[in-house]
């Protein structure tokens, strides 16, 4: 069918083709271009025929043109590429023009503008990042106690079973501490609930500062109670952490005139498995740890508070500064 189309008709078709295109010679000059291409180049009149690619588009495009000629000379094909020109974005497709002997004499380049698509992609990517950040914030909010800044009970219920499973798999010990602020109701009654909230936050933060290992976790268990999860920690280590928590809270020197000693204090009940039983359900292990720590805490409270008691798979015993096992 092309045999019936004159050279002039072909020229008009090329000039009016709706995609910007140009022909580049081996010397790096623009041999011809259509009207759409003229609109791409910010040149008076838009006519760049006869000018060097380096002068029109810069050295980077000139280098790419040289690489393209070299690829075509070796019989290779050049894939479409995304390029930026004059503040706009295009997909560039190139094809070789050959003489009768099959030698590459020039290349034809077609430019399809995708500026608006790229802007939309950028906005969508930005919106997606914002959405992901918002989801992370929501997840953190759902797992964080608003008053103390610690993990909440929901986060605990997700983490503790995983740590039990991991410690069982690694044949590592696991300890849990239940911490209660002594006579906190009396504190609220005397100093008011706002002061009580401030104190809860202060105690929570100073205890969180005691936990230095990445795997350790402290969460608000409810009211003035906190729970500490210590993966890989045996009985001796649990007692040492409990004593460090005591000292940290004492260092706050918060007045509590309604109790003996007149300073805010805590009681700690600890439970430890030196080895997680292999034939016991994870949920049952979780319940046993918390129940045993609660029993130990109750024993401390029954003795007047301000103490530590450990319930472990070797029995129940009070802490003793002079009889601690090796540090964890």
């Amino acid at each position: 069918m092309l045999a019936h189309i004159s050279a002039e008709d072909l020229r008009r078709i090329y000039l009016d083709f709706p995609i910007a295109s140009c022909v580049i010679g081996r010397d790096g000059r623009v041999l011809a271009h259509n009207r759409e291409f003229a609109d791409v180049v910010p040149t008076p009149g838009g006519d760049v025929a006869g000018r060097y690619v380096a002068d029109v588009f810069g050295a980077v495009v000139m280098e790419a043109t040289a690489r393209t000629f070299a690829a075509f000379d070796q019989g290779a094909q050049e894939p479409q590429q995304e390029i930026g020109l004059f503040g706009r974005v295009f997909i560039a497709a190139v094809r070789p023009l050959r003489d009768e002997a099959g030698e590459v004499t020039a290349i034809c380049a077609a430019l399809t503008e995708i500026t608006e698509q790229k802007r939309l992609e950028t906005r969508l990517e930005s919106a997606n990042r914002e959405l992901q950040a918002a989801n992370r914030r929501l997840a953190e909010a759902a797992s964080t106690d608003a008053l103390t800044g610690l993990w909440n009970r929901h986060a605990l219920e997700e983490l503790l079973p995983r740590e039990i499973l991991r410690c069982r798999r690694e044949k590592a010990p696991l300890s849990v501490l239940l911490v209660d602020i002594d006579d906190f109701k009396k504190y609220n009654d005397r100093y008011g609930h706002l002061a009580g909230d401030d104190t809860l936050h202060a105690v929570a933060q100073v205890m969180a500062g005691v936990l230095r290992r990445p795997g350790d976790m402290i969460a608000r268990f409810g009211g003035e109670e906190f729970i500490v999860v210590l993966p890989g920690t045996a009985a001796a280590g649990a007692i040492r952490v409990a004593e460090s928590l005591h000292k940290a809270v004492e260092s706050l020197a918060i007045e509590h005139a309604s109790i003996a000693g007149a300073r805010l204090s805590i009681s700690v009940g600890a439970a430890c498995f030196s080895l997680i039983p292999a034939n016991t359900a994870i949920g049952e292990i979780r319940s046993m740890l918390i129940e045993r720590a609660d029993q130990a805490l109750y024993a401390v409270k029954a003795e007047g508070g301000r103490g530590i008691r450990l319930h472990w798979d070797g029995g129940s015993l009070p802490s003793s500064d002079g009889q601690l096992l090796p540090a964890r």
Side-chain angles (χ1 to χ4, degrees), residues 1-11 13:
M1 293 179 64
L2 290 177
H4 302 290
I5 300 177
S6 67
E8 180 60 25
D9 289 336
L10 287 174
R11 190 182 75 85
I13 291 173

Side-chain angles (χ1 to χ4, degrees), residues 46-214:
D47 189 2
V48 296
R51 296 179 60 188
Y52 286 102
V53 170
D55 295 334
V56 179
F57 300 109
V60 173
V61 176
M62 184 64 198
E63 292 170 3
T65 301
R67 288 195 301 270
T68 300
F69 271 110
F72 286 150
D73 288 340
Q74 295 173 6
Q77 298 294 318
E78 281 289 280
Q80 294 184 357
Q81 298 183 28
E82 183 180 302
I83 62 172
L85 296 172
F86 313 114
R88 299 156 72 180
V89 185
F90 299 86
I91 292 293
V94 292
R95 295 292 184 271
L97 298 178
R98 301 178 186 272
D99 58 17
E100 293 180 356
E103 298 294 328
V104 178
T105 58
I107 58 174
C108 179
L111 302 176
T112 303
E113 185 169 7
I114 57 168
T115 305
E116 288 305 316
Q117 292 95 310
K118 294 300 292 184
R119 288 175 181 167
L120 179 59
E121 286 177 11
T122 300
R123 289 197 293 269
L124 288 175
E125 289 173 0
S126 176
N128 188 48
R129 287 194 296 270
E130 291 177 3
L131 179 60
Q132 290 176 347
N135 287 336
R136 285 195 297 271
R137 289 193 294 271
L138 285 173
E140 290 174 0
S143 300
T144 304
D145 178 64
L147 177 59
T148 63
L150 302 179
W151 296 114
N152 60 20
R153 193 155 183 169
H154 171 75
L156 169 75
E157 296 300 338
E158 288 189 353
L159 178 137
L160 185 52
R162 291 203 304 266
E163 292 302 327
I164 293 172
L165 186 61
R166 184 172 67 84
C167 287
R168 180 160 69 184
R169 184 174 61 249
E170 297 175 359
K171 294 181 171 53
L174 175 65
S175 295
V176 165
L177 311 179
L178 275 182
V179 181
D180 182 79
I181 300 177
D182 294 325
D183 295 299
F184 194 67
K185 183 180 183 302
K186 292 181 180 179
Y187 185 90
N188 274 334
D189 291 344
R190 185 177 184 91
Y191 299 99
H193 287 281
L194 290 179
D197 288 349
D198 290 341
T199 295
L200 275 174
H201 183 268
V203 170
Q205 291 303 306
V206 76
M207 289 196 300
V210 170
L211 307 180
R212 303 187 182 279
R213 300 190 318 169

